[in-house]
Amino acid sequence: MTRFQRILVTNDDGIDAPGLAVAEQLATTLADEVWVVAPQTDQSGVGQGISMHQPLRALRREARRYAVSGTPADCVMYALAALCADRAPDLVLSGVNWGANLSDSVMYSGTVGAVLAANHLGIDAIALSQAYHAGAAPDFSVARAYARRVIESLLARRARDGSCCWSVNFPMQPLDSIRGLRFTRQTRGAIRAPKLTPVTANDPHAGQWLGFHSNAAAVDDPRGDVAALREHHVSATPLHGTRCNEALLARTADDPDIDIRR
């Protein structure tokens, strides 16, 4: 694979997250120049949101490494407008997120939001997420071992498939049990309903925490992202920026315009 001139790395866990360091180290093996532009604080769950009602502030941590007071999508926009204005990055890597971005959670993911923001502007982008078991200490060994080969495989498809925009999830399984890379779809059904949890007595916040009643066991699509991780595969789901339901739109092709003036 041709070595890149410039890669932009971001995430949604924040500038000090251990997974960001994993992605940064990976990027240095792929590019001559790596820029890290990540949120100052954890921005999990913000999706592709951007800051509309407050100015962005960027703090230079060291050469080509900045913390931005905004969302992951803000970080991509800021980098393109200011730090990489002379030449857009050849690739944006977002992650490595601590926690899978699968099924219904994909639409809320700030990790995924960053790559969609980049893709809207014509830049190849890949989101990287490491699944974990409840209570497990951070362990990015599967991502470390396989991320480069996964990225190379996805980028090799560009000549045939066009724009590269993917969400990649690594299973938390023993390295010697990983069976390969599987192309998957975003499945649905893990989220059943929203829920509110009261804050505890020693919690400094007021109000209630928003969460979801989940049922991951109900997600059984054999081509789905959840099934791939269960079966010890790395999951790669292709993404696109438009929300238009093209299949439904196609079914309206021969429909006449509806007169709503009466």
Side-chain angles (χ1 to χ4, degrees):
M1 187 179 73
T2 303
R3 188 171 175 83
F4 292 111
Q5 288 186 300
R6 176 178 287 177
I7 288 179
L8 172 65
V9 179
T10 190
N11 72 348
D12 73 355
D13 289 332
I15 188 72
D16 296 312
L20 184 69
V22 176
E24 183 178 2
Q25 184 179 34
L26 169 65
T28 62
T29 72
L30 298 169
D32 297 326
E33 183 179 294
V34 176
W35 288 80
V36 177
V37 184
Q40 287 181 348
T41 59
D42 191 328
Q43 295 289 310
S44 299
V46 301
Q48 202 179 336
I50 57 175
S51 297
M52 298 291 292
H53 303 292
Q54 59 276 332
L56 296 178
R57 299 180 303 278
L59 175 65
R60 183 180 183 272
R61 291 289 191 92
E62 54 190 82
R64 296 198 294 271
R65 203 165 198 276
Y66 288 78
V68 173
S69 63
T71 69
D74 284 335
C75 292
V76 172
M77 302 297 180
Y78 184 88
L80 294 175
L83 305 173
C84 300
D86 62 320
R87 187 180 74 250
D90 306 295
L91 177 69
V92 171
L93 296 178
S94 182
V96 177
N97 192 69
W98 179 234
N101 281 301
L102 300 167
S103 187
D104 305 285
S105 67
V106 173
M107 69 182 73
Y108 304 112
S109 167
T111 307
V112 172
V115 303
L116 290 173
N119 185 252
H120 277 159
L121 299 173
I123 301 171
D124 292 331
I126 301 174
L128 304 169
S129 303
Q130 174 64 63
Y132 66 87
H133 304 309
D139 180 0
F140 295 93
S141 57
V142 177
R144 288 183 186 276
Y146 294 109
R148 175 166 178 149
R149 275 176 276 180
V150 168
I151 290 170
E152 289 174 344
S153 297
L154 298 180
L155 292 174
R157 303 175 63 89
R158 285 178 299 176
R160 188 188 74 180
D161 300 336
S163 177
C164 174
C165 189
W166 296 85
S167 176
V168 174
N169 284 274
F170 300 94
M172 191 175 198
Q173 302 291 349
L175 282 176
D176 60 3
S177 77
I178 303 303
R179 300 172 63 184
L181 173 65
R182 179 183 292 176
F183 297 108
T184 59
R185 66 170 59 91
Q186 176 192 352
T187 48
R188 298 185 63 182
I191 292 177
R192 292 189 290 112
K195 66 177 180 180
L196 294 171
T197 304
V199 299
T200 58
N202 59 352
D203 193 324
H205 300 86
Q208 297 172 300
W209 292 108
L210 176 64
F212 296 98
H213 295 286
S214 61
N215 185 16
V219 181
D220 56 4
D221 181 351
R223 192 66 190 274
D225 46 16
V226 174
L229 264 66
R230 286 176 180 162
E231 296 170 11
H232 296 216
H233 284 81
V234 178
S235 163
T237 300
L239 307 174
H240 63 96
T242 177
R243 297 293 180 89
C244 179
N245 185 332
E246 295 289 347
L248 177 56
L249 181 62
R251 290 197 292 272
T252 71
D254 298 324
D255 294 353
D257 293 341
I258 298 172
D259 189 347
I260 59 172
R261 296 171 295 177
R262 293 176 294 172

